[in-house]
Amino acid sequence: QRWPHIKNARKTRRSIVFLDESGFMLQPLVRRSWAPRGQTPILRQWDRRDRLSAISALSVSPSRKRFNLYWSLYAHNIRSAEVLRFLKELRRHFPRGFILIWDRGRPHRSQQVQSWLGERKRIDIEWLPPYAPDLNPVECLWSRTK
């Protein structure tokens, strides 16, 4: 009886949705370079502190034969307003509702997001354990992207 919603996903014909956020620094990585011994190479690069924040959801269909990826990019850190906007857009793709699986991030636990989710009867929430990135397949997406 650990995750009863997941066992009933096929019976209720609702998709399972994994959601997560990540941030990207747009700076080049430090790498080795070729130079004669004793001569420090000078590498020209732009020195900007730009960043990009991304929120993504991976859905698994009830028949488990189809996967979909939904994502959105922001030029600032993701807060509860962005999570709420993303959930509203995500809800349009699932008329029967969905089972949402996500971590206990601060934007996920905000009162604004929780009250909106509490009003939705077709969205069930399952929380991941406190630190379990290996249980969320969207984390694999971030590691591949970075």
Side-chain angles (χ1 to χ4, degrees), residues 84 88 91 111-123 125:
L84 191 57
K88 288 178 181 178
R91 189 183 66 161
Q111 184 179 3
Q112 183 182 15
V113 172
Q114 289 301 311
S115 65
W116 185 82
L117 285 170
E119 297 169 2
R120 306 294 171 264
K121 294 181 178 164
R122 294 185 178 174
I123 300 175
I125 301 170

Side-chain angles (χ1 to χ4, degrees), residues 5 7-15 62 96 99 124:
H5 298 301
K7 291 180 180 180
N8 295 327
R10 182 177 280 171
K11 186 169 51 173
T12 59
R13 298 180 63 195
R14 291 189 297 167
S15 294
R96 294 187 177 168
I99 299 167
D124 290 330

Side-chain angles (χ1 to χ4, degrees), residues 126-142:
E126 284 292 335
W127 298 98
L128 289 170
Y131 184 74
D134 49 333
L135 295 179
N136 194 343
V138 183
E139 291 284 348
C140 296
L141 172 77
W142 297 138

